[in-house]
Structure formats: C-alpha cells, structure tokens
C-alpha cells in the first residue's frame, strides 16, 4: 500500500488536520485493488473511507470517467509511522527513505510492485514495454537505485505533452530494460497488466558488442589516464 501511495497517492503535510493519505484508482479496472487495500486497513484497525468523486471537467479526457474512485486513510498512528520511516510529504516531493534499501528483498519488491501498479504501464502495441511515469526528480533517482538493488536496470527520458494530454510536460518516464526479471520478481497487482506483458522476440539488428570505434576511443583514454598515474601505481607490464 505504501508503494501505491508513492505512485498514485497524496500525502498530507502533517499538520493536525492533514495527517491523511488519498489513494487514487482507475475508474473501472482496479476494484480488486481497492478491496485489497480496504481489507488490509480493516485487518490492522486503520481508519479508511471509500469515495466516488466527480472528476473536474478540465481533467476529463477522451477515455476518462466523469467519476474517480478514492480511498482516504485518516489514521494518525499510521501517518506518524510512515513519516518516521523517512517518507516525505507530497508538497516536499515524494522520495524513498534510506531505511527501505536496508529492508529484506521481499519488502523492497512489495514497495516497487505497489508503485508500478499505481503509475506503471505495459506497452499497448506489443505488450513488450514496461514503463513508469514520475514527476519528482528525487523519486526518479530513488526508484532507479531501488530497482538496481534487485538487479533490474532501466532507462529514463522526458516525455512530451500533447494538446489533449493532461500529463505534466516535465514527467520523466522510466523504461525497464530487464523486463523478464522485473515480471518474475516484481510484477503488478493487477492481473490485466500482468497478462498484457508479452516478451517480444529479440531483434536481429540489436547487438550486445560495443562498436569498434568506441572500444578504440575508450582504450586511448585508459592509456592516457594510466600514464598520468604516479610511477608506484603503474603496476602493469608492457
């Protein structure tokens, strides 16, 4: 649930009347996730309320519903625990605290699973692209680092905004490189996202070897660097 809060949630600023979380969901595809979060809250005695909120007219796109499903969690003990772990509020910019990196792998996987389930996507064209949109730079760096602790690499780029899009033009998109490992170790909460992924056939035009020009350039830089080292550190023999 903490991962979902990082992805598609709002974290109150911590003042007495703002110690709460808001979790947002797809209008018709994530009822099972909502029920799962409600049951988790009830299991641990956490105060949670379900709301069906009318979507603002400026945020209704061609495929968006006029209503939005939300869960509001108002529980000071949970909020204080969340903040004591080191998580930051939405106004400051979300981030992953250092303590998470020291957690056992299953906890790190669970956090990433919730985050990618909330804001992650599987490519529609061939189902061979796994991506995550992030607006905060610090969170982007944290997610990349946390993925690497599990051996999953990714690339990032700034997405483009189009006239009919409501996305932020500073959104950074992470593209998972080790897709098979990601699906095996992390995956998504939603079955429709897991089922949408299809590992494509590797293109014969892609090669793992570096271009010979790059190798020569890199070797030259190494030789120059080595010559600048103190004599006592030059241990290589010709």
């Amino acid at each position: 649930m903490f991962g979902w809060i990082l992805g598609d949630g709002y974290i109150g600023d911590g003042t007495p009347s703002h110690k709460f979380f808001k979790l947002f969901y797809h209008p018709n595809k994530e009822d099972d996730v909502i029920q799962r979060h409600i049951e988790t809250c009830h299991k641990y005695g956490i105060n949670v309320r379900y709301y069906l909120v009318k979507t603002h007219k400026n945020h209704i796109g061609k495929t968006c519903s006029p209503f939005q499903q939300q869960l509001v969690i108002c529980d000071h003990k949970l909020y204080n625990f969340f903040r004591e772990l080191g998580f930051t509020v939405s106004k400051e910019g979300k981030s992953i605290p250092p303590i998470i990196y020291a957690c056992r792998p299953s906890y790190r996987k669970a956090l990433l699973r919730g985050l990618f389930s909330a804001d992650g996507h599987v490519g529609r064209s061939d189902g061979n692209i796994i991506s995550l949109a992030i607006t905060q730079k610090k969170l982007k760096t944290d997610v990349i680092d946390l993925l690497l602790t599990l051996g999953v690499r990714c690339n990032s780029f700034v997405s483009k905004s189009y006239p009919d899009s409501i996305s932020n033009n500073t959104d950074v998109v992470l593209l998972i490189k080790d897709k098979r490992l990601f699906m095996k170790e992390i995956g998504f909460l939603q079955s429709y996202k897991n089922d949408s992924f299809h590992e494509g056939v590797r293109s014969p035009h892609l090669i793992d070897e570096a271009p010979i020009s790059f190798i020569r350039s890199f070797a030259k830089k190494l030789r120059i660097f080595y010559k600048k080292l103190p004599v006592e550190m030059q241990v290589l023999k010709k």
Side-chain angles (χ1 to χ4, degrees):
M1 193 162 63
F2 283 1
W4 195 283
I5 291 172
L6 284 179
D8 211 354
Y10 175 81
I11 306 165
D13 59 22
T15 56
S17 60
H18 285 79
K19 287 189 173 184
F20 65 85
F21 307 98
K22 278 188 179 181
L23 287 71
F24 307 97
Y25 304 87
H26 191 279
N28 49 43
K29 288 185 177 182
E30 293 169 349
D31 292 349
D32 55 335
V33 179
I34 294 174
Q35 187 60 35
R36 177 174 180 164
H37 287 164
I38 291 175
E39 291 175 356
T40 299
C41 289
H42 287 170
K43 179 180 179 180
Y44 296 101
I46 297 169
N47 182 33
V48 60
R49 293 284 184 92
Y50 170 82
Y51 293 94
L52 191 61
V53 182
K54 189 174 182 180
T55 307
H56 192 280
K57 61 180 181 180
N58 293 337
H59 291 168
I60 300 178
K62 294 180 180 179
T63 60
C64 291
S65 168
F67 294 96
Q68 184 181 55
Q69 299 189 88
Q70 297 181 9
L71 288 184
V72 177
I73 300 175
C74 294
D75 191 287
H76 284 200
K77 288 185 178 179
L78 178 66
Y79 183 91
N80 291 338
F81 172 70
F82 183 84
R83 297 286 283 118
E84 287 170 3
L85 288 176
F87 288 99
T88 50
V89 302
S90 293
K91 287 185 178 180
E92 296 175 2
K94 298 175 184 176
S95 62
I96 298 175
I99 193 173
I100 300 299
Y101 298 89
C103 290
R104 62 183 64 176
S106 59
Y107 291 170
R108 283 177 269 146
K109 293 175 186 178
L111 185 78
L112 288 167
R113 186 177 303 115
L115 174 59
F116 273 82
S117 297
D119 266 356
H121 303 276
V122 177
R124 295 181 179 179
S125 57
D126 55 4
N128 192 34
I129 296 176
I130 301 173
S131 63
L132 176 72
I134 302 179
T135 56
Q136 293 99 347
K137 293 182 179 179
K138 179 65 169 63
L139 183 58
K140 179 204 76 170
T141 303
D142 291 345
V143 172
I144 292 174
D145 291 344
L146 194 60
L147 284 168
L148 283 175
T149 68
L150 299 170
V152 179
R153 301 167 298 166
C154 63
N155 293 325
S156 65
F157 66 92
V158 178
S159 65
K160 296 180 180 179
S161 288
Y162 299 94
D164 295 332
S165 173
I166 62 173
S167 64
N168 191 318
N169 59 4
T170 60
D171 282 1
V172 173
V173 177
L174 300 184
L175 291 178
I176 298 297
K177 294 181 66 176
D178 302 297
K179 295 183 285 290
R180 180 187 298 179
L181 181 61
F182 175 90
M183 293 301 298
K184 178 183 177 182
E185 299 295 335
I186 301 172
F188 299 93
L189 293 173
Q190 304 95 323
S191 57
Y192 77 89
K193 287 188 177 181
N194 288 322
D195 295 341
S196 296
F197 175 74
H198 302 285
E199 187 175 6
V201 179
R202 184 176 174 84
S203 170
H205 302 292
L206 297 177
I207 56 175
D208 292 324
E209 295 81 6
I212 188 64
S213 58
F214 169 79
I215 296 175
R216 288 173 177 169
S217 174
F218 185 62
K220 181 179 179 181
K221 291 179 180 179
L222 281 177
R223 286 196 298 270
I224 295 174
F225 172 78
Y226 182 74
K227 288 180 180 179
K228 291 182 179 180
L229 290 175
V231 177
E232 60 271 17
M233 296 182 65
Q234 295 181 12
V235 297
L236 297 178
K237 295 182 180 180
K238 294 183 179 179

